[in-house]
Amino acid sequence: MLPTPPASVESSPLEAKSPNHAEYYSSHLNKSQFNSVLITCAVNLLQVLYDDSKVDGGHSKVRFFVVELLRRSKTSIQSLQVACWYLVKLVQRRDGDDLPADPRKLFLGCIILASKFNQDYNYSFKSWLKICGMGASSTDSESFDVAQLRALERQVLKLLGFNCYLNGRKYENWCNILLIFGYDFIHTHNVATGTIDWESVVIVGEKLMKWRRFFTHSFNPQTLESVKVDFRSYYQQQMGSKVVLKASPSLFTSSTKRCRDEIVTSSSAKRRCVEH
């Protein structure tokens, strides 16, 4: 007679999901917001890698390129997360002299390598050129051919030390860190209205410097194999500050409250709302 198996413990749908899938974060971000945060991660990591003259001035061009490349190539979430991992590895090198001059080309090289690592079947170099709108038929003066694209891939591979591997617990922890990095650039996330307001340019610059110091001096990739990083814990800490659960009342809707001047001393003159 076979032994009776122990009663199984049911896990929540979230617990059953892996951090490299959008559904893992669905109680905090919808898919569109999740994708937007990941795109912001990629663009901001490029800003960490390159000086302002190469990215900040052309920030909109870089972001447009990232969005269009991901859209046209139908790059998976997992490949984008791995590509961002490659960008952080390059940040840790602390030497940007041998990077491709154009941050868009570096991102292209990272996406090609991440896609090859993450998928058995991938585009040919000719297909990547068509996706980018380049190649022999292109009228773009900066277009390049298959040989140059292959050279770009080898250059990025060399910069990564020919180490493109990322898997297991290290991968899952990285996915959580990446989303924390992206979410840090949100000023307010109004859950009730489903809207996100991003930080100002000045604050973004300050936070980029903070994260550059973190990735360069404090971040140890080896610890990702033993620690537990959880975006959901970080998210809970933002409740009431960055995360707003209730919609602010509109000035154009009827209300049971009205404002009146309060008689106060000149040193503390102020207004307040009192119930009708």
Side-chain angles (χ1 to χ4, degrees):
M1 181 174 161
L2 295 174
T4 305
S8 60
V9 179
E10 293 186 1
S11 60
S12 68
L14 270 182
E15 291 173 344
K17 299 295 182 182
S18 173
N20 61 348
H21 291 280
E23 290 85 353
Y24 179 83
Y25 312 94
S26 59
S27 63
H28 313 302
L29 299 163
N30 60 41
K31 189 171 183 179
S32 176
Q33 292 170 340
F34 175 72
N35 291 340
S36 179
V37 171
L38 281 187
I39 290 170
T40 298
C41 288
V43 175
N44 285 347
L45 285 173
L46 289 171
Q47 285 193 272
V48 170
L49 266 171
Y50 289 85
D51 59 46
D52 291 346
S53 63
K54 292 184 178 179
V55 179
D56 192 31
H59 182 276
S60 59
K61 290 184 178 179
V62 172
R63 187 176 185 90
F64 176 80
F65 177 83
V66 169
V67 171
E68 283 299 296
L69 177 64
L70 297 175
R71 183 184 66 82
R72 296 184 191 184
S73 63
K74 299 180 181 178
T75 296
S76 67
I77 289 171
Q78 293 80 11
S79 294
L80 177 56
Q81 290 165 327
V82 173
C84 288
W85 170 254
Y86 296 160
L87 292 177
V88 166
K89 289 186 66 174
L90 297 180
V91 170
Q92 293 203 303
R93 291 176 65 256
R94 307 182 191 181
D95 182 12
D97 293 340
D98 49 358
L99 293 174
D102 191 333
R104 295 172 295 180
K105 289 185 178 180
L106 174 63
F107 183 72
L108 172 61
C110 288
I111 283 294
I112 291 175
L113 291 175
S115 299
K116 287 185 175 181
F117 169 78
N118 199 52
Q119 300 166 188
D120 292 332
Y121 298 97
N122 210 273
Y123 298 117
S124 65
F125 284 120
K126 287 184 178 180
S127 296
W128 279 112
L129 288 176
K130 289 180 180 179
I131 288 169
C132 297
M134 298 180 178
S137 62
S138 174
T139 58
D140 189 344
S141 60
E142 296 183 358
S143 64
F144 52 99
D145 57 21
V146 170
Q148 291 170 303
L149 186 56
R150 187 178 288 114
L152 173 65
E153 182 190 56
R154 288 198 301 268
Q155 180 185 6
V156 178
L157 261 175
K158 185 178 179 180
L159 291 171
L160 293 171
F162 297 92
N163 183 4
C164 298
Y165 185 78
L166 179 64
N167 213 339
R169 186 168 188 173
K170 190 173 183 179
Y171 183 15
E172 293 187 354
N173 280 325
W174 164 246
C175 292
N176 280 279
I177 288 178
L178 182 62
L179 204 64
I180 291 172
F181 166 71
Y183 202 87
D184 190 40
F185 292 88
I186 293 175
H187 176 68
T188 306
H189 177 196
N190 195 315
V191 179
T193 60
T195 57
I196 287 179
D197 294 321
W198 297 91
E199 295 284 14
S200 66
V201 174
V202 174
I203 300 299
V204 166
E206 294 174 354
K207 292 194 172 184
L208 286 173
M209 292 179 62
K210 177 191 73 174
W211 281 99
R212 181 183 289 113
R213 290 193 297 268
F214 170 75
F215 285 130
T216 304
H217 302 291
S218 304
F219 181 56
N220 182 1
Q222 301 306 319
T223 61
L224 296 183
E225 297 176 354
S226 56
V227 300
K228 174 63 176 177
V229 183
D230 191 352
F231 170 76
R232 291 173 292 186
S233 298
Y234 166 81
Y235 183 88
Q236 291 296 325
Q237 295 172 6
Q238 309 305 313
M239 292 290 187
S241 55
K242 186 187 294 288
V243 180
V244 180
L245 299 178
K246 294 182 179 180
S248 300
S250 172
L251 294 175
F252 297 97
T253 58
S254 59
S255 174
T256 58
K257 295 183 178 181
R258 63 184 176 88
C259 289
R260 70 174 183 180
D261 288 329
E262 182 185 14
I263 302 176
V264 292
T265 60
S266 58
S267 62
S268 60
K270 57 184 178 181
R271 294 172 64 90
R272 69 172 183 175
C273 287
V274 296
E275 292 190 359
H276 196 284

